[in-house]
Short mmCIF file of all heavy atoms in Angstrom, two decimals:
data_model
loop_
_atom_site.label_atom_id
_atom_site.label_comp_id
_atom_site.label_asym_id
_atom_site.label_seq_id
_atom_site.Cartn_x
_atom_site.Cartn_y
_atom_site.Cartn_z
N LYS A 352 -48.16 24.83 60.77
CA LYS A 352 -48.38 25.44 59.49
C LYS A 352 -47.67 24.67 58.37
O LYS A 352 -46.69 25.09 57.82
CB LYS A 352 -47.91 26.90 59.53
CG LYS A 352 -48.74 27.77 60.50
CD LYS A 352 -48.24 29.24 60.45
CE LYS A 352 -49.07 30.08 61.37
NZ LYS A 352 -48.61 31.48 61.37
N VAL A 353 -48.24 23.51 58.03
CA VAL A 353 -47.74 22.75 56.85
C VAL A 353 -48.58 23.03 55.64
O VAL A 353 -48.26 22.57 54.51
CB VAL A 353 -47.73 21.24 57.19
CG1 VAL A 353 -46.73 20.91 58.25
CG2 VAL A 353 -49.12 20.74 57.57
N SER A 354 -49.72 23.76 55.80
CA SER A 354 -50.61 23.98 54.69
C SER A 354 -51.23 25.39 54.82
O SER A 354 -51.17 26.01 55.86
CB SER A 354 -51.73 22.95 54.68
OG SER A 354 -51.20 21.65 54.58
N TRP A 355 -51.85 25.87 53.71
CA TRP A 355 -52.60 27.08 53.82
C TRP A 355 -53.87 26.84 54.62
O TRP A 355 -54.24 25.69 54.80
CB TRP A 355 -52.95 27.57 52.41
CG TRP A 355 -51.75 27.61 51.49
CD1 TRP A 355 -51.54 26.88 50.38
CD2 TRP A 355 -50.52 28.40 51.68
NE1 TRP A 355 -50.31 27.20 49.80
CE2 TRP A 355 -49.67 28.10 50.58
CE3 TRP A 355 -50.12 29.31 52.67
CZ2 TRP A 355 -48.43 28.70 50.47
CZ3 TRP A 355 -48.89 29.93 52.49
CH2 TRP A 355 -48.04 29.62 51.46
N LEU A 356 -54.50 27.88 55.06
CA LEU A 356 -55.66 27.75 55.94
C LEU A 356 -56.79 26.97 55.27
O LEU A 356 -57.36 26.07 55.82
CB LEU A 356 -56.13 29.12 56.38
CG LEU A 356 -57.14 29.13 57.54
CD1 LEU A 356 -56.51 28.51 58.80
CD2 LEU A 356 -57.63 30.55 57.83
N VAL A 357 -57.13 27.40 54.04
CA VAL A 357 -58.19 26.72 53.28
C VAL A 357 -57.77 26.60 51.80
O VAL A 357 -57.30 27.55 51.20
CB VAL A 357 -59.53 27.51 53.36
CG1 VAL A 357 -60.57 26.91 52.42
CG2 VAL A 357 -60.09 27.55 54.76
N ALA A 358 -57.92 25.39 51.29
CA ALA A 358 -57.65 25.15 49.86
C ALA A 358 -58.60 24.01 49.43
O ALA A 358 -58.68 23.00 50.07
CB ALA A 358 -56.22 24.77 49.61
N GLU A 359 -59.26 24.20 48.29
CA GLU A 359 -60.24 23.23 47.84
C GLU A 359 -59.61 21.85 47.56
O GLU A 359 -60.26 20.84 47.78
CB GLU A 359 -60.90 23.74 46.55
CG GLU A 359 -61.78 24.97 46.80
CD GLU A 359 -61.90 25.88 45.57
OE1 GLU A 359 -61.92 25.36 44.44
OE2 GLU A 359 -62.09 27.09 45.71
N ARG A 360 -58.34 21.87 47.05
CA ARG A 360 -57.71 20.59 46.76
C ARG A 360 -57.51 19.74 48.00
O ARG A 360 -57.50 18.49 47.95
CB ARG A 360 -56.38 20.85 46.02
CG ARG A 360 -55.39 21.67 46.78
CD ARG A 360 -54.28 22.17 45.87
NE ARG A 360 -53.32 23.03 46.56
CZ ARG A 360 -53.48 24.33 46.76
NH1 ARG A 360 -54.60 24.90 46.28
NH2 ARG A 360 -52.58 25.06 47.38
N TYR A 361 -57.34 20.37 49.16
CA TYR A 361 -57.16 19.65 50.44
C TYR A 361 -58.42 18.81 50.76
O TYR A 361 -58.36 17.82 51.35
CB TYR A 361 -56.91 20.57 51.62
CG TYR A 361 -55.64 21.43 51.50
CD1 TYR A 361 -55.48 22.57 52.34
CD2 TYR A 361 -54.62 21.11 50.61
CE1 TYR A 361 -54.35 23.31 52.23
CE2 TYR A 361 -53.52 21.89 50.54
CZ TYR A 361 -53.34 23.03 51.37
OH TYR A 361 -52.25 23.76 51.29
N MET A 362 -59.57 19.35 50.31
CA MET A 362 -60.85 18.73 50.66
C MET A 362 -61.26 17.60 49.68
O MET A 362 -62.38 17.01 49.85
CB MET A 362 -61.95 19.77 50.72
CG MET A 362 -63.32 19.36 51.16
SD MET A 362 -63.37 18.40 52.68
CE MET A 362 -63.10 19.64 53.95
N PHE A 363 -60.42 17.23 48.75
CA PHE A 363 -60.75 16.24 47.73
C PHE A 363 -61.27 14.95 48.38
O PHE A 363 -62.35 14.47 48.11
CB PHE A 363 -59.62 15.97 46.76
CG PHE A 363 -59.96 14.90 45.79
CD1 PHE A 363 -60.80 15.14 44.71
CD2 PHE A 363 -59.41 13.62 45.93
CE1 PHE A 363 -61.10 14.09 43.79
CE2 PHE A 363 -59.72 12.63 45.04
CZ PHE A 363 -60.58 12.87 44.00
N LEU A 364 -60.44 14.40 49.25
CA LEU A 364 -60.81 13.10 49.89
C LEU A 364 -61.90 13.36 50.91
O LEU A 364 -62.87 12.56 50.98
CB LEU A 364 -59.56 12.49 50.56
CG LEU A 364 -59.82 11.18 51.30
CD1 LEU A 364 -60.38 10.11 50.36
CD2 LEU A 364 -58.47 10.66 51.88
N GLY A 365 -61.84 14.39 51.72
CA GLY A 365 -62.81 14.60 52.79
C GLY A 365 -64.16 14.88 52.28
O GLY A 365 -65.16 14.53 52.97
N SER A 366 -64.31 15.37 51.05
CA SER A 366 -65.60 15.68 50.50
C SER A 366 -66.46 14.44 50.27
O SER A 366 -67.66 14.49 50.19
CB SER A 366 -65.52 16.45 49.16
OG SER A 366 -64.84 15.67 48.19
N LEU A 367 -65.80 13.28 50.19
CA LEU A 367 -66.52 12.04 50.09
C LEU A 367 -67.44 11.85 51.29
O LEU A 367 -68.57 11.38 51.17
CB LEU A 367 -65.52 10.83 50.02
CG LEU A 367 -66.18 9.45 49.89
CD1 LEU A 367 -66.98 9.34 48.64
CD2 LEU A 367 -65.07 8.35 49.97
N GLY A 368 -67.00 12.25 52.48
CA GLY A 368 -67.85 12.16 53.65
C GLY A 368 -69.07 13.07 53.59
O GLY A 368 -70.18 12.62 54.00
N PHE A 369 -68.93 14.24 53.01
CA PHE A 369 -70.06 15.13 52.88
C PHE A 369 -71.10 14.57 51.87
O PHE A 369 -72.27 14.53 52.16
CB PHE A 369 -69.58 16.51 52.40
CG PHE A 369 -70.69 17.43 51.96
CD1 PHE A 369 -71.48 18.04 52.96
CD2 PHE A 369 -71.03 17.61 50.61
CE1 PHE A 369 -72.54 18.91 52.58
CE2 PHE A 369 -72.04 18.44 50.27
CZ PHE A 369 -72.82 19.12 51.22
N CYS A 370 -70.56 14.07 50.75
CA CYS A 370 -71.46 13.46 49.78
C CYS A 370 -72.14 12.22 50.34
O CYS A 370 -73.32 11.93 49.99
CB CYS A 370 -70.67 13.08 48.53
SG CYS A 370 -69.89 14.53 47.73
N TRP A 371 -71.44 11.48 51.14
CA TRP A 371 -71.96 10.32 51.81
C TRP A 371 -73.14 10.74 52.77
O TRP A 371 -74.19 10.07 52.83
CB TRP A 371 -70.85 9.73 52.66
CG TRP A 371 -71.03 8.34 53.13
CD1 TRP A 371 -72.12 7.67 53.43
CD2 TRP A 371 -69.92 7.48 53.40
NE1 TRP A 371 -71.88 6.45 53.89
CE2 TRP A 371 -70.52 6.23 53.85
CE3 TRP A 371 -68.55 7.54 53.35
CZ2 TRP A 371 -69.72 5.15 54.25
CZ3 TRP A 371 -67.76 6.46 53.73
CH2 TRP A 371 -68.35 5.28 54.16
N PHE A 372 -72.93 11.86 53.51
CA PHE A 372 -73.96 12.37 54.40
C PHE A 372 -75.22 12.70 53.62
O PHE A 372 -76.31 12.34 54.03
CB PHE A 372 -73.41 13.59 55.15
CG PHE A 372 -74.41 14.28 55.98
CD1 PHE A 372 -74.85 13.74 57.20
CD2 PHE A 372 -74.93 15.53 55.61
CE1 PHE A 372 -75.76 14.36 57.99
CE2 PHE A 372 -75.84 16.23 56.40
CZ PHE A 372 -76.29 15.59 57.61
N LEU A 373 -75.05 13.36 52.47
CA LEU A 373 -76.22 13.70 51.63
C LEU A 373 -76.88 12.41 51.11
O LEU A 373 -78.09 12.32 51.00
CB LEU A 373 -75.81 14.56 50.48
CG LEU A 373 -75.41 16.02 50.82
CD1 LEU A 373 -75.14 16.80 49.51
CD2 LEU A 373 -76.44 16.74 51.59
N GLY A 374 -76.05 11.47 50.71
CA GLY A 374 -76.55 10.18 50.23
C GLY A 374 -77.42 9.48 51.24
O GLY A 374 -78.48 8.89 50.95
N LEU A 375 -76.96 9.49 52.50
CA LEU A 375 -77.81 8.85 53.59
C LEU A 375 -79.06 9.58 53.79
O LEU A 375 -80.13 8.95 53.92
CB LEU A 375 -76.97 8.90 54.86
CG LEU A 375 -75.75 7.94 54.98
CD1 LEU A 375 -74.89 8.28 56.18
CD2 LEU A 375 -76.23 6.50 55.11
N LEU A 376 -79.06 10.91 53.77
CA LEU A 376 -80.23 11.72 53.92
C LEU A 376 -81.27 11.44 52.86
O LEU A 376 -82.46 11.19 53.14
CB LEU A 376 -79.92 13.20 54.00
CG LEU A 376 -79.27 13.77 55.25
CD1 LEU A 376 -78.94 15.24 55.02
CD2 LEU A 376 -80.24 13.69 56.44
N LEU A 377 -80.79 11.48 51.62
CA LEU A 377 -81.73 11.29 50.51
C LEU A 377 -82.26 9.82 50.52
O LEU A 377 -83.48 9.62 50.27
CB LEU A 377 -81.03 11.58 49.20
CG LEU A 377 -80.74 13.03 48.94
CD1 LEU A 377 -79.79 13.21 47.74
CD2 LEU A 377 -82.04 13.82 48.71
N ASN A 378 -81.38 8.83 50.78
CA ASN A 378 -81.85 7.47 50.79
C ASN A 378 -82.90 7.20 51.93
O ASN A 378 -83.87 6.54 51.68
CB ASN A 378 -80.67 6.54 50.98
CG ASN A 378 -81.05 5.09 51.03
OD1 ASN A 378 -81.33 4.43 50.05
ND2 ASN A 378 -81.05 4.55 52.22
N ASP A 379 -82.61 7.76 53.07
CA ASP A 379 -83.49 7.49 54.22
C ASP A 379 -84.82 8.16 54.06
O ASP A 379 -85.81 7.73 54.73
CB ASP A 379 -82.83 7.98 55.52
CG ASP A 379 -81.61 7.08 55.91
OD1 ASP A 379 -81.41 6.04 55.24
OD2 ASP A 379 -80.88 7.47 56.88
N HIS A 380 -84.94 9.16 53.27
CA HIS A 380 -86.21 9.88 53.06
C HIS A 380 -86.83 9.68 51.68
O HIS A 380 -87.78 10.27 51.36
CB HIS A 380 -85.99 11.36 53.28
CG HIS A 380 -85.63 11.72 54.70
ND1 HIS A 380 -84.33 11.72 55.13
CD2 HIS A 380 -86.37 12.05 55.80
CE1 HIS A 380 -84.28 12.03 56.42
NE2 HIS A 380 -85.48 12.24 56.88
N TRP A 381 -86.28 8.75 50.92
CA TRP A 381 -86.71 8.52 49.51
C TRP A 381 -88.10 7.96 49.54
O TRP A 381 -88.95 8.46 48.71
CB TRP A 381 -85.74 7.53 48.85
CG TRP A 381 -85.86 7.59 47.36
CD1 TRP A 381 -86.76 6.91 46.54
CD2 TRP A 381 -85.00 8.30 46.52
NE1 TRP A 381 -86.52 7.26 45.20
CE2 TRP A 381 -85.42 8.06 45.15
CE3 TRP A 381 -83.82 9.08 46.65
CZ2 TRP A 381 -84.79 8.59 44.02
CZ3 TRP A 381 -83.24 9.66 45.56
CH2 TRP A 381 -83.73 9.36 44.30
N LYS A 382 -88.40 7.00 50.36
CA LYS A 382 -89.75 6.37 50.36
C LYS A 382 -90.79 7.37 50.87
O LYS A 382 -91.91 7.40 50.38
CB LYS A 382 -89.76 5.12 51.13
CG LYS A 382 -88.93 3.95 50.49
CD LYS A 382 -88.99 2.70 51.36
CE LYS A 382 -88.20 1.57 50.70
NZ LYS A 382 -88.30 0.32 51.49
N LYS A 383 -90.40 8.14 51.89
CA LYS A 383 -91.37 9.09 52.47
C LYS A 383 -91.65 10.21 51.58
O LYS A 383 -92.80 10.70 51.46
CB LYS A 383 -90.82 9.53 53.80
CG LYS A 383 -91.79 10.40 54.61
CD LYS A 383 -91.22 10.71 55.94
CE LYS A 383 -92.19 11.59 56.73
NZ LYS A 383 -91.66 11.99 58.10
N PHE A 384 -90.61 10.70 50.83
CA PHE A 384 -90.77 11.80 49.93
C PHE A 384 -90.38 11.33 48.52
O PHE A 384 -89.30 11.69 47.99
CB PHE A 384 -89.89 13.01 50.37
CG PHE A 384 -90.18 13.42 51.76
CD1 PHE A 384 -89.34 13.09 52.83
CD2 PHE A 384 -91.27 14.24 52.04
CE1 PHE A 384 -89.57 13.49 54.11
CE2 PHE A 384 -91.54 14.64 53.36
CZ PHE A 384 -90.70 14.24 54.39
N LYS A 385 -91.26 10.60 47.90
CA LYS A 385 -90.97 9.90 46.66
C LYS A 385 -90.68 10.85 45.46
O LYS A 385 -90.00 10.51 44.55
CB LYS A 385 -92.07 8.92 46.31
CG LYS A 385 -92.18 7.74 47.25
CD LYS A 385 -93.24 6.76 46.81
CE LYS A 385 -93.31 5.56 47.77
NZ LYS A 385 -94.40 4.61 47.40
N ILE A 386 -91.30 12.03 45.55
CA ILE A 386 -91.10 13.02 44.52
C ILE A 386 -90.03 14.05 44.87
O ILE A 386 -89.17 14.40 44.08
CB ILE A 386 -92.44 13.74 44.18
CG1 ILE A 386 -93.46 12.72 43.68
CG2 ILE A 386 -92.23 14.87 43.15
CD1 ILE A 386 -94.81 13.37 43.41
N VAL A 387 -90.06 14.47 46.10
CA VAL A 387 -89.17 15.53 46.57
C VAL A 387 -87.73 15.08 46.54
O VAL A 387 -86.84 15.81 46.09
CB VAL A 387 -89.56 15.95 48.00
CG1 VAL A 387 -88.54 17.00 48.52
CG2 VAL A 387 -90.97 16.58 48.00
N SER A 388 -87.43 13.87 47.04
CA SER A 388 -86.05 13.40 47.08
C SER A 388 -85.37 13.30 45.73
O SER A 388 -84.28 13.80 45.55
CB SER A 388 -86.02 12.03 47.78
OG SER A 388 -86.39 12.16 49.16
N PRO A 389 -86.02 12.75 44.76
CA PRO A 389 -85.41 12.74 43.39
C PRO A 389 -85.20 14.15 42.83
O PRO A 389 -84.19 14.38 42.17
CB PRO A 389 -86.41 11.91 42.53
CG PRO A 389 -87.16 11.10 43.49
CD PRO A 389 -87.26 11.92 44.73
N VAL A 390 -86.19 15.00 43.10
CA VAL A 390 -86.06 16.37 42.58
C VAL A 390 -84.89 17.05 43.24
O VAL A 390 -84.13 17.82 42.56
CB VAL A 390 -87.39 17.16 42.85
CG1 VAL A 390 -87.17 18.66 42.57
CG2 VAL A 390 -88.50 16.62 41.95
N ILE A 391 -84.71 16.86 44.51
CA ILE A 391 -83.59 17.44 45.21
C ILE A 391 -82.26 16.96 44.67
O ILE A 391 -81.32 17.71 44.38
CB ILE A 391 -83.66 17.20 46.74
CG1 ILE A 391 -84.81 17.92 47.40
CG2 ILE A 391 -82.35 17.54 47.43
CD1 ILE A 391 -85.06 17.61 48.83
N LEU A 392 -82.17 15.62 44.43
CA LEU A 392 -80.97 15.02 43.93
C LEU A 392 -80.65 15.58 42.48
O LEU A 392 -79.49 15.98 42.25
CB LEU A 392 -81.10 13.54 43.84
CG LEU A 392 -79.89 12.75 43.23
CD1 LEU A 392 -78.61 13.06 44.00
CD2 LEU A 392 -80.15 11.25 43.13
N ILE A 393 -81.63 15.65 41.63
CA ILE A 393 -81.42 16.14 40.31
C ILE A 393 -81.02 17.60 40.32
O ILE A 393 -80.17 18.03 39.57
CB ILE A 393 -82.71 15.94 39.45
CG1 ILE A 393 -82.96 14.43 39.19
CG2 ILE A 393 -82.60 16.67 38.11
CD1 ILE A 393 -84.36 14.13 38.63
N SER A 394 -81.63 18.36 41.22
CA SER A 394 -81.32 19.81 41.35
C SER A 394 -79.86 20.01 41.79
O SER A 394 -79.11 20.84 41.24
CB SER A 394 -82.25 20.49 42.30
OG SER A 394 -83.60 20.38 41.90
N ILE A 395 -79.43 19.17 42.74
CA ILE A 395 -78.08 19.24 43.26
C ILE A 395 -77.05 18.95 42.11
O ILE A 395 -76.14 19.67 41.88
CB ILE A 395 -77.86 18.25 44.42
CG1 ILE A 395 -78.57 18.74 45.64
CG2 ILE A 395 -76.37 18.11 44.72
CD1 ILE A 395 -78.61 17.77 46.82
N LEU A 396 -77.38 17.84 41.41
CA LEU A 396 -76.47 17.41 40.30
C LEU A 396 -76.40 18.47 39.21
O LEU A 396 -75.39 18.70 38.62
CB LEU A 396 -76.91 16.05 39.72
CG LEU A 396 -76.87 14.86 40.71
CD1 LEU A 396 -77.23 13.61 40.00
CD2 LEU A 396 -75.46 14.72 41.32
N ALA A 397 -77.53 19.05 38.88
CA ALA A 397 -77.65 20.07 37.85
C ALA A 397 -76.79 21.28 38.22
O ALA A 397 -76.00 21.82 37.42
CB ALA A 397 -79.05 20.50 37.55
N TYR A 398 -77.00 21.77 39.45
CA TYR A 398 -76.23 22.96 39.87
C TYR A 398 -74.72 22.62 39.96
O TYR A 398 -73.89 23.44 39.47
CB TYR A 398 -76.73 23.42 41.29
CG TYR A 398 -75.88 24.51 41.86
CD1 TYR A 398 -75.86 25.78 41.24
CD2 TYR A 398 -75.09 24.30 42.97
CE1 TYR A 398 -75.05 26.79 41.86
CE2 TYR A 398 -74.29 25.29 43.49
CZ TYR A 398 -74.29 26.51 42.93
OH TYR A 398 -73.49 27.54 43.46
N TYR A 399 -74.36 21.49 40.54
CA TYR A 399 -72.97 21.15 40.63
C TYR A 399 -72.37 20.98 39.21
O TYR A 399 -71.20 21.38 39.01
CB TYR A 399 -72.85 19.80 41.37
CG TYR A 399 -72.96 19.93 42.91
CD1 TYR A 399 -72.89 18.82 43.73
CD2 TYR A 399 -73.22 21.13 43.50
CE1 TYR A 399 -72.98 18.88 45.09
CE2 TYR A 399 -73.30 21.25 44.91
CZ TYR A 399 -73.16 20.10 45.68
OH TYR A 399 -73.32 20.21 47.02
N GLY A 400 -73.11 20.38 38.31
CA GLY A 400 -72.60 20.19 36.97
C GLY A 400 -72.29 21.51 36.26
O GLY A 400 -71.25 21.68 35.63
#
Side-chain angles (χ1 to χ4, degrees):
K352 294 182 179 179
V353 295
S354 304
W355 309 117
L356 192 62
V357 172
E359 292 155 30
R360 57 193 179 277
Y361 299 164
M362 185 48 75
F363 176 74
L364 179 58
S366 64
L367 180 63
F369 172 76
C370 300
W371 196 334
F372 175 71
L373 291 185
L375 288 167
L376 283 175
L377 289 170
N378 178 76
D379 290 352
H380 295 86
W381 199 278
K382 291 182 179 179
K383 187 175 180 180
F384 304 102
K385 293 183 179 180
I386 298 177
V387 175
S388 293
V390 169
I391 291 174
L392 177 60
I393 292 170
S394 299
I395 290 172
L396 298 183
Y398 173 67
Y399 283 178

